[in-house]
């Protein structure tokens, strides 16, 4: 870097810092939360009833914009600001409380009361909103604990596993982030969507940009106080067409970052959209695949997507709740089977991957080579500081990702709670004997010949919906209703014995259980 360029870069950095608002000297919402928490801890109790042993308040300030465009024209651009309050109340004690319970009449019992809150930093109004939510959640907690104790009486005991784990108090702070820059994002959506004007065979196309910043305040009765700032930007480009035989053809690109600065340069984005449009046109005349039962190579992002969709949900420590419905245990098992299989809670110490592969959850890492990692956060939704966790070591399961809800295999939190339960941060898979891409192709064809096949299948992209489907699957493991969507893959090739590649359309991935991951034959060096 030349000296003038360095000076310009420094000036730009100073300008960016100046755009970030400094923390207020008197954070009125946080002060209201602390004061209302002190009142709840000291005074909240119905006559003749137990008082709460744990109370937590969260307040999220959201600033978002949702933009969509098609064929160069803006369809919608909606800014949105909001504030939501979250209240968690636990009654009983850590060994047995109102959590981890499913009612036959109401389904999973929500531990968090969520409601909107006034946008103005009005001390009295915020305290009033917290008081109303706390009162409602406290009454629900008492009802749930009574029903849970009755169910356990029928079952003859609760076991020795506590309902809530203890963690030391933590304290972190972060200033709010600037709101998304709407005009720049609108211009980006228009420019990218205009690419499809040159492809009239594509029936529908769209570019959607969703950007938001969230400033979170949190306090709990253990003494934890934190403020957390986060930003996210999702760019999704989708298009649809029909093959001459009527088969629908679709493809999508999803690019994620924290802000617009994390996106690839405009010329790179435009090139990717043009490539997608050309691929859809080629897919219209591409052959289909009737059936294939043989080795498959998942290249690049497809490998990560399949791992996340199929195996990652099993790496979460998810507690089976108590229920007052005798048939619930069987229903719970069926639900987990539909969501990719049960948790590996009873597999710690067993082999779940080839001995050449290891898996680590690394919340503190921001980059991997040139790739930006977006999963990390400084503190989780329980107020626990995340720590690096070695999940699989040389194929053997060593640990699971956990919240403050203990399970037989995870008695302590790994700082992984987001929303209702644990979620991976930056899940890194490493191979000890990694091979180059050409060697992977040769091994693929060798395995195909051993099966009596003259071709093999390579998947380069599962599709932009994979990441969203993965998050839905993870949410389902935590009791949130999910829509699994289509399993069609976006970019699949038939590789001949001579190495030639033929694009295929309409290919779907069949059932792929977690046991199949133990049979991975080779892994690449990328």
């Amino acid at each position: 870097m030349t000296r003038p360029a360095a000076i310009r870069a420094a000036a730009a950095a100073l300008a960016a810092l100046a755009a970030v608002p400094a923390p207020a000297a008197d954070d009125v919402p946080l002060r209201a939360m602390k004061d209302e928490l002190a009142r709840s801890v000291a005074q909240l109790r119905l006559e003749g009833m137990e008082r709460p042993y744990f109370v937590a308040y969260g307040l999220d300030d959201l600033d978002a914009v949702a933009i969509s465009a098609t064929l160069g024209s803006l369809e919608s651009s909606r800014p949105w600001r909001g504030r939501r309050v979250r209240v968690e109340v636990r009654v009983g004690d850590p060994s047995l409380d109102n959590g981890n319970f499913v009612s036959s009449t109401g389904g999973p019992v929500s531990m968090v009361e969520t409601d909107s809150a006034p946008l103005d930093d009005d001390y009295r109004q915020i305290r009033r909103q917290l008081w109303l939510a706390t009162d409602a959640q406290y009454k629900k907690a008492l009802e749930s604990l009574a029903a849970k104790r009755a169910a356990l009486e029928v079952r003859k005991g609760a076991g020795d596993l506590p309902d809530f784990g203890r963690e030391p108090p933590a304290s972190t702070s972060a200033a709010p982030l600037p709101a998304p820059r709407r005009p720049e994002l609108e211009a980006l959506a228009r420019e990218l969507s205009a690419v499809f004007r040159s492809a009239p065979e594509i029936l529908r196309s769209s570019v959607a940009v969703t950007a938001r910043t969230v400033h979170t305040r949190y306090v709990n009765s253990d003494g934890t106080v934190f403020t957390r700032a986060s930003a996210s930007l999702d760019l999704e480009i989708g298009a649809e067409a029909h093959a001459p035989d009527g088969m629908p053809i679709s493809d999508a690109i999803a690019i994620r970052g924290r802000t617009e600065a994390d996106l690839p340069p405009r010329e790179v984005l435009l090139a990717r959209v043009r490539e997608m449009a050309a691929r859809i046109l080629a897919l219209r005349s591409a052959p289909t695949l009737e059936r294939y039962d043989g080795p498959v190579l998942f290249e690049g992002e497809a490998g990560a997507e399949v791992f996340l969709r199929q195996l990652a949900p099993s790496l979460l420590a998810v507690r089976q709740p108590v229920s007052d419905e005798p048939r619930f245990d069987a229903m719970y098992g069926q639900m987990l089977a539909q969501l990719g299989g049960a948790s590996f809670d009873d597999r710690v110490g067993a082999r779940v991957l080839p001995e050449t592969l290891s898996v680590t959850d690394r919340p503190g890492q921001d980059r991997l080579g040139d790739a930006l990692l977006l999963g990390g956060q400084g503190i989780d939704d329980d107020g626990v500081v995340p720590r690096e966790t070695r999940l699989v070591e040389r194929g053997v399961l060593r640990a699971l990702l956990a919240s403050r809800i203990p399970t037989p295999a995870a008695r302590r939190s790994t700082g992984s709670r987001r929303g209702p339960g644990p979620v991976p941060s930056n899940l890194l898979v490493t191979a000890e004997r990694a091979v180059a891409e050409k060697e992977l192709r040769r091994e693929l064809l060798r395995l195909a010949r051993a099966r009596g096949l003259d071709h093999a299948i390579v998947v380069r992209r599962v599709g932009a919906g994979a990441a969203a489907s993965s998050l839905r699957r993870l949410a389902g493991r935590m009791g949130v209703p999910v829509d699994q969507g289509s399993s069609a893959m976006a970019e699949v090739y038939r590789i001949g014995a001579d190495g030639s590649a033929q694009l295929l359309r309409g290919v779907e991935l069949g059932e792929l259980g977690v046991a199949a991951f133990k049979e991975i034959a080779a892994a690449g060096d990328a």
Side-chain angles (χ1 to χ4, degrees), residues 111-124:
M111 292 299 297
V112 180
E113 179 81 8
T114 305
D115 201 356
S116 60
L119 286 172
D120 294 331
D121 289 347
D122 186 314
Y123 174 86
R124 296 182 64 182

Side-chain angles (χ1 to χ4, degrees), residues 54-103:
F54 178 84
V55 180
Y57 292 155
L59 196 69
D60 298 321
D61 288 345
L62 296 91
D63 207 327
V65 60
I67 298 164
S68 64
T70 184
L71 301 177
S73 298
L74 207 62
E75 287 188 312
S76 64
S77 178
R78 300 187 301 274
W80 186 82
R81 288 187 65 214
R83 173 176 280 174
R84 66 185 180 196
V85 59
R86 295 174 286 113
V87 174
E88 181 176 359
V89 177
R90 291 182 175 270
V91 177
D93 59 63
S95 64
L96 177 62
D97 65 18
N98 52 293
N100 308 312
F101 177 64
V102 173
S103 168

Side-chain angles (χ1 to χ4, degrees), residues 167-297:
E167 293 291 338
S171 178
T172 65
S173 63
L177 296 171
R181 298 188 299 178
R182 186 177 168 195
E184 289 88 342
L185 297 177
E186 290 176 343
L188 175 65
R190 286 193 185 97
E191 185 177 5
L192 296 180
S193 68
V195 170
F196 295 102
R197 287 176 178 171
S198 61
E201 299 89 346
I202 294 178
L203 304 178
R204 285 179 294 276
S205 62
S206 66
V207 174
V209 184
T210 305
R212 71 172 188 167
T213 61
V214 183
H215 187 68
T216 299
R217 301 170 177 89
Y218 177 92
V219 297
N220 71 26
S221 54
D222 287 345
T224 290
V225 180
F226 74 77
T227 59
R228 183 180 67 199
S230 62
S232 64
L233 187 148
D234 293 346
L235 171 62
E236 297 192 3
I237 304 112
E240 300 177 17
H242 281 96
D245 60 5
M247 175 183 283
I249 304 294
S250 65
D251 197 358
I253 299 171
I255 301 172
R256 312 197 189 283
R258 294 189 180 92
T259 66
E260 187 182 359
D262 295 331
L263 298 178
R266 292 290 179 97
E267 57 271 18
V268 174
L269 289 173
L270 288 167
R272 290 192 63 178
V273 178
R274 294 188 190 104
E275 290 170 2
M276 187 181 80
R279 189 163 52 248
I280 289 178
L281 298 181
L283 280 168
R284 295 180 70 243
S285 57
T288 59
L289 184 69
E290 293 298 325
R291 181 176 176 81
Y292 177 80
D293 186 3
V296 178
L297 173 59

Side-chain angles (χ1 to χ4, degrees), residues 357-378:
L357 296 183
S358 297
V359 183
T360 303
D361 188 76
R362 198 170 292 165
Q365 188 165 337
D366 292 329
R367 305 195 73 88
L368 183 65
D370 295 332
L372 180 67
L373 303 183
L374 302 172
Q377 59 181 5

Side-chain angles (χ1 to χ4, degrees), residues 112-197:
V112 180
E113 179 81 8
T114 305
D115 201 356
S116 60
L119 286 172
D120 294 331
D121 289 347
D122 186 314
Y123 174 86
R124 296 182 64 182
Q125 284 298 322
I126 292 172
R127 284 199 63 173
R128 179 177 182 275
Q129 195 74 31
L130 289 168
W131 178 83
L132 291 171
T134 305
D135 180 70
Q137 192 66 4
Y138 174 51
K139 291 171 181 175
K140 290 179 185 178
L142 290 171
E143 292 176 2
S144 298
L145 181 57
K148 182 178 178 180
R149 282 172 172 162
L152 289 172
E153 183 67 26
V154 174
R155 293 186 172 213
K156 305 299 181 185
D160 60 353
L161 197 63
D163 279 337
F164 196 55
R166 296 193 180 278
E167 293 291 338
S171 178
T172 65
S173 63
L177 296 171
R181 298 188 299 178
R182 186 177 168 195
E184 289 88 342
L185 297 177
E186 290 176 343
L188 175 65
R190 286 193 185 97
E191 185 177 5
L192 296 180
S193 68
V195 170
F196 295 102
R197 287 176 178 171

